[in-house]
Structures are given as structure tokens and as C-alpha cells.
């Protein structure tokens, strides 16, 4: 599959080097290609380590930018019904330049907005920068197969496919003092808890939107 990462700074700082460090730490999950996207003055940086499966060419490069530049996606996973969705979108007038399921997700979001995620059958962790609304959109598959870890406070949002990404960019990041207690007593970490302080998993079947200008979030479940 792939690995994704990103940092959104409320003050507009673009943390390119930190996102590169996060992606480099996840190299094994995406050895075929890598990419970084910066969103102008909005403090949004998205990264991707790609494992090419559906489209082996550079047409499937990520982060992938829509034709009009209004949306950018970084995606980890596999969409089983992407050919059917591609056909439906083509009927609606969309044209495609790759054979990747990533492009299908991007165009589905352009066409249907947040409702697109409920149409996806597969395993996925997705981040989309919507330049029109000024929102970062995170989504995770219904079964929770693909992990999506995140940290959010009053100043920044950080997300990654692996916990190691956080420590790679912030080596001083503090561990959650209770994670060993939970793991030793239960054999797993309950709920959305992780080994790092303040870092949690996005719940499965969830879409979370962060408006980077108002810094307000909104989460919904899909089925």
C-alpha cells in the first residue's frame, strides 16, 4: 500500500522538513515513490510514501492534485470498487489521466463531497486538502483496517500512518504514561489510545474536517 503524513500549522508555518522526516521513517511501507505538497500561506503540508499497485507510472504520483488545483489527496489503501466508481464518474463527465484508485477518490470527492467516502468499498486512510473550503478532510475505512494516527491542539494538526512518524519528526515526543498498563492488563490498547501522549487514532468509519482558518472541527460517521 502506501504511507501518508501531514502537518497543519495554524500560524501558517510550513513544516516541510518534519513531514519529510515522517515519510522517511515510513519508507518500508512505500518504497516506490515519495512526494510533498505545500499549500501556500495556509500552513498545510502533506506527504506520501507510495507503493505502486494499480498504476505503476508517475501518473499515480501522490500527493495528487486535482486538475483545477482545488483539492489535493494523499491516500493509503485499496478501493475494491474503483472501476465501477470510475465508470459512474466518467458518465458524469469526468476524465481520467491515470489508472489509479487515488484519482477516482479525488474525483469522487469533487463530485459528491463528503458523501463520496460512503461509496468507497475497501480499506483506506485518506487526507484531502480542500482549497475551496479551507478544510483538511481525514477519513478512515469502516473496518478500521488502515490506521490513521493524529494529534490536534490549538496550534497544529499532525497525522501519520504509523506512530514512528511522530517520533521521527519530534524525537522528544512524550510517551503516554499509561499505555503499558493497558497493554499488560488487556493485551491491547483500548479505544483510540496510542503509545504517545496526545496522539489518538481516528475512529473507524469516520470523516473529520478541520477548517484551518477558524480551527474548528466537525466529525461524522458513515456506513
Amino acid at each position: 500500500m502506501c504511507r501518508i503524513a501531514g502537518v497543519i500549522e495554524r500560524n501558517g508555518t510550513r513544516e516541510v522538513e518534519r513531514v519529510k522526516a515522517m515519510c522517511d521513517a515510513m519508507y518500508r511501507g512505500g518504497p516506490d515513490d515519495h512526494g510533498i505538497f505545500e499549500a501556500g500561506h495556509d500552513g498545510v503540508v502533506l506527504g506520501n510514501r507510495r507503493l505502486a499497485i494499480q498504476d505503476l507510472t508517475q501518473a499515480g504520483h501522490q500527493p495528487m492534485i486535482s486538475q483545477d488545483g482545488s483539492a489535493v489527496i494523499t491516500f493509503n489503501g485499496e478501493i475494491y470498487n474503483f472501476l465501477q466508481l470510475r465508470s459512474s464518474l466518467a458518465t458524469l463527465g469526468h476524465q481520467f489521466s491515470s489508472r489509479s484508485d487515488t484519482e477516482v477518490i479525488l474525483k469522487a470527492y469533487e463530485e459528491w463531497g463528503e458523501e463520496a467516502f460512503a461509496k468507497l468499498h475497501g480499506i483506506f486512510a485518506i487526507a484531502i486538502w480542500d482549497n475551496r473550503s479551507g478544510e483538511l478532510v481525514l477519513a478512515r475505512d469502516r473496518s478500521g483496517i488502515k490506521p490513521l494516527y493524529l494529534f490536534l491542539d490549538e496550534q497544529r494538526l499532525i497525522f501519520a500512518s504509523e506512530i514512528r512518524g511522530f517520533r521521527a519528526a519530534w524525537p522528544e515526543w512524550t510517551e503516554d504514561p499509561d499505555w503499558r498498563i493497558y497493554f499488560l492488563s488487556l493485551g491491547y490498547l483500548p479505544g483510540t489510545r496510542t503509545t504517545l501522549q496526545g496522539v489518538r487514532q481516528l475512529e473507524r468509519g469516520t470523516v473529520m474536517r478541520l477548517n484551518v482558518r477558524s480551527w474548528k472541527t466537525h466529525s461524522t460517521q458513515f456506513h
Side-chain angles (χ1 to χ4, degrees), residues 1-216:
M1 303 298 176
C2 300
R3 297 292 185 270
I4 66 175
V7 178
I8 297 84
E9 290 282 354
R10 190 175 186 179
N11 65 8
T13 301
R14 285 173 284 177
E15 294 282 11
V16 176
E17 293 307 314
R18 291 194 193 270
V19 174
K20 286 181 179 178
M22 295 172 79
C23 290
D24 288 346
M26 301 184 290
Y27 169 84
R28 289 178 295 178
D32 296 330
D33 190 17
H34 62 92
I36 296 288
F37 168 81
E38 304 175 52
H41 63 277
D42 287 301
V44 176
V45 182
L46 306 180
N48 186 276
R49 291 289 330 186
R50 182 181 173 216
L51 176 62
I53 296 178
Q54 300 292 352
D55 190 329
L56 304 183
T57 73
Q58 276 296 300
H61 176 79
Q62 294 190 56
M64 182 179 288
I65 305 172
S66 64
Q67 290 178 339
D68 64 0
S70 65
V72 184
I73 184 173
T74 183
F75 158 63
N76 171 29
E78 184 177 2
I79 306 304
Y80 307 140
N81 65 330
F82 84 98
L83 290 176
Q84 294 94 323
L85 290 172
R86 179 183 172 125
S87 178
S88 297
L89 289 161
T91 301
L92 294 170
H94 291 272
Q95 298 180 335
F96 295 85
S97 58
S98 77
R99 298 187 300 274
S100 71
D101 48 1
T102 306
E103 187 178 18
V104 172
I105 299 169
L106 187 57
K107 290 186 179 294
Y109 179 80
E110 289 183 282
E111 181 66 34
W112 297 304
E114 188 176 313
E115 294 179 5
F117 301 117
K119 299 178 185 290
L120 304 179
H121 298 162
I123 53 177
F124 55 84
I126 299 168
I128 295 177
W129 165 240
D130 188 332
N131 192 48
R132 297 164 296 187
S133 64
E135 292 179 313
L136 184 85
V137 184
L138 299 177
R140 188 177 178 210
D141 66 74
R142 300 169 182 83
S143 300
I145 300 297
K146 285 298 176 183
L148 186 53
Y149 300 100
L150 66 94
F151 170 85
L152 175 65
D153 66 9
E154 294 301 317
Q155 299 302 322
R156 61 166 64 106
L157 170 68
I158 307 165
F159 68 87
S161 296
E162 298 181 23
I163 284 289
R164 75 180 67 193
F166 293 84
R167 274 284 181 80
W170 288 270
E172 71 282 4
W173 202 297
T174 305
E175 283 192 352
D176 183 325
D178 298 325
W179 81 265
R180 288 183 176 86
I181 297 173
Y182 283 104
F183 189 79
L184 289 173
S185 60
L186 300 174
Y188 63 92
L189 297 181
T192 62
R193 185 179 292 272
T194 72
T195 59
L196 296 183
Q197 187 74 46
V199 178
R200 62 182 176 88
Q201 289 202 61
L202 183 67
E203 293 184 4
R204 63 184 184 178
T206 296
V207 180
M208 189 190 91
R209 309 180 76 101
L210 170 69
N211 187 300
V212 303
R213 288 141 199 177
S214 68
W215 212 250
K216 293 181 179 180

